[in-house]
Amino acid sequence: MRKVLFALLFVLAGMVANAQLLWRVSGGNCFKSSYLFGTIHLESENFIDSVAGLNDAIASVDAIYGEIVKDEMASTKALGKVMRESMAPADSTIDKLLSPADYALVDSVVRDYMKGIIGLDHLKKYKPSTIIMQIEAMQLLKNFPNYKSMLPGLDLGVQARGEKLGKYVGGFETVEEQLSIAYGSSLVEQAKNLVDMCRKDKDFGQNNEALIAAYHSQDLKALEQHLTDPETGMDAESMEKMCYSRNRKWIEKIVSTMPVQSMLIVVGAGHLVGEQGLINLLRTRGYVVEPVD
């Protein structure tokens, strides 16, 4: 689950734009050319200008589709749902789920990132998955100092630019569906993953710097290797949950929309790669999918 939740932040400014993040979709029953663009959700909106052809793609399509519509996630109603889902039941707080030794381990990691100001006692009201995401945010702040300035994010930035040009903005998932990904496992399993994450805390920087480097060099092959690495990446079950099962749902929406509306599909780069990635799923449906020159 720790890998799954990091993929939500990732599933992760280019030096040379070799167009492996931006792909043109044509042929089949396309109304006109559509596009796929792979993102890291925490990257800055400024990265848009580093990808050759991306601004042209935004301008040329009829609609921008993301994993979720930015306005829905930022709404008061959605924030309320997130807050309710993040809280642990009174009889299942973290101190009741962890052994004293595991509690001490997680507490030490939290205190390390918070300079001793806050410990796990301050987070007891939250579910383990919420604590995982909070620790990951602190890890990012430590390992990637520019993270604090990366707002608005890349996905939302593309949607915002499309809106300014009068494009329709749509999403493949609801807030409830995204919450089910983060909180779908039992509290016991969440707690186990929290402890596992804290035991491997020291490996965070090295492992994820490699993912970020692969993305910034726009190397989808390297990105796929890091995402699926048996030691540091996601296992088959996590890839199925985080990427492949969602891709199979999204592809039906995509192929039913492209005959009447050209699309720029903006999703985590992990959704593009592999046999069940969106690139290959479209090709198996008879579409031509090629990198933008």
Side-chain angles (χ1 to χ4, degrees):
M1 177 60 74
R2 183 249 186 258
K3 297 169 185 174
V4 170
L5 291 172
F6 180 76
L8 284 171
L9 301 178
F10 186 81
V11 177
L12 304 93
M15 294 179 291
V16 178
N18 60 18
Q20 285 185 281
L21 298 177
L22 180 64
W23 298 75
R24 181 184 293 108
V25 183
S26 59
N29 59 3
C30 282
F31 170 62
K32 60 180 182 180
S33 291
S34 290
Y35 296 87
L36 287 172
F37 176 58
T39 73
I40 289 179
H41 301 319
L42 291 176
E43 182 56 270
S44 166
E45 177 187 10
N46 294 333
F47 187 67
I48 295 172
D49 300 316
S50 300
V51 181
L54 182 53
N55 278 310
D56 291 337
I58 295 171
S60 70
V61 297
D62 302 314
I64 313 289
Y65 276 83
E67 295 182 25
I68 192 168
V69 179
K70 66 181 182 67
D71 292 337
E72 290 182 9
M73 183 57 80
S75 69
T76 302
K77 183 178 180 181
L79 293 175
K81 291 178 180 178
V82 172
M83 181 56 67
R84 288 191 296 273
E85 187 62 47
S86 70
M87 308 299 283
D91 61 350
S92 301
T93 53
I94 194 67
D95 56 321
K96 297 179 176 65
L97 295 170
L98 300 183
S99 69
D102 287 341
Y103 189 95
L105 170 66
V106 177
D107 180 62
S108 68
V109 170
V110 172
R111 289 184 182 278
D112 180 55
Y113 284 109
M114 296 305 296
K115 310 299 182 184
I117 300 172
I118 290 178
L120 188 55
D121 286 347
H122 296 85
L123 305 177
K124 284 198 298 186
K125 63 182 180 180
Y126 296 110
K127 291 179 180 176
S129 287
T130 307
I131 299 172
I132 288 174
M133 289 185 280
Q134 291 177 334
I135 291 176
E136 285 179 338
M138 292 185 284
Q139 288 171 327
L140 286 167
L141 289 172
K142 178 179 179 179
N143 290 281
F144 305 100
N146 293 329
Y147 167 67
K148 287 184 287 189
S149 65
M150 289 182 180
L151 292 173
L154 181 54
D155 299 66
L156 303 188
V158 174
Q159 291 187 26
R161 291 195 186 192
E163 280 187 332
K164 288 181 180 178
L165 295 174
K167 311 298 181 179
Y168 173 79
V169 173
F172 294 117
E173 293 176 337
T174 64
V175 173
E176 290 81 4
E177 288 172 321
Q178 294 224 325
L179 287 173
S180 71
I181 297 170
Y183 295 103
S185 57
S186 69
L187 292 175
V188 172
E189 183 179 352
Q190 291 178 34
K192 178 179 178 297
N193 289 316
L194 173 60
V195 173
D196 182 60
M197 169 195 179
C198 290
R199 286 176 179 154
K200 299 176 181 178
D201 174 67
K202 301 303 180 184
D203 297 329
F204 174 84
Q206 180 179 353
N207 295 343
N208 293 304
E209 280 177 7
L211 283 169
I212 302 299
Y215 182 81
H216 283 172
S217 63
Q218 302 194 45
D219 187 342
L220 284 188
K221 271 295 180 186
L223 181 68
E224 181 180 7
Q225 290 172 357
H226 288 301
L227 283 173
T228 59
D229 184 276
E231 296 298 324
T232 61
M234 290 190 286
D235 56 24
E237 182 181 353
S238 297
M239 283 298 293
E240 170 65 20
K241 178 178 180 179
M242 276 305 306
C243 295
Y244 301 149
S245 64
R246 297 164 76 194
N247 289 349
R248 292 193 296 270
K249 293 178 182 178
W250 298 351
I251 198 69
E252 300 305 325
K253 174 70 173 179
I254 292 168
V255 300
S256 65
T257 301
M258 286 193 300
V260 295
Q261 191 179 53
S262 60
M263 311 167 71
L264 171 58
I265 299 156
V266 183
V267 294
H271 291 285
L272 271 56
V273 302
E275 290 187 5
Q276 295 189 65
L278 291 177
I279 292 172
N280 194 56
L281 289 179
L282 284 165
R283 285 173 173 166
T284 59
R285 297 288 185 106
Y287 297 92
V288 177
V289 186
E290 54 193 352
V292 174
D293 295 328

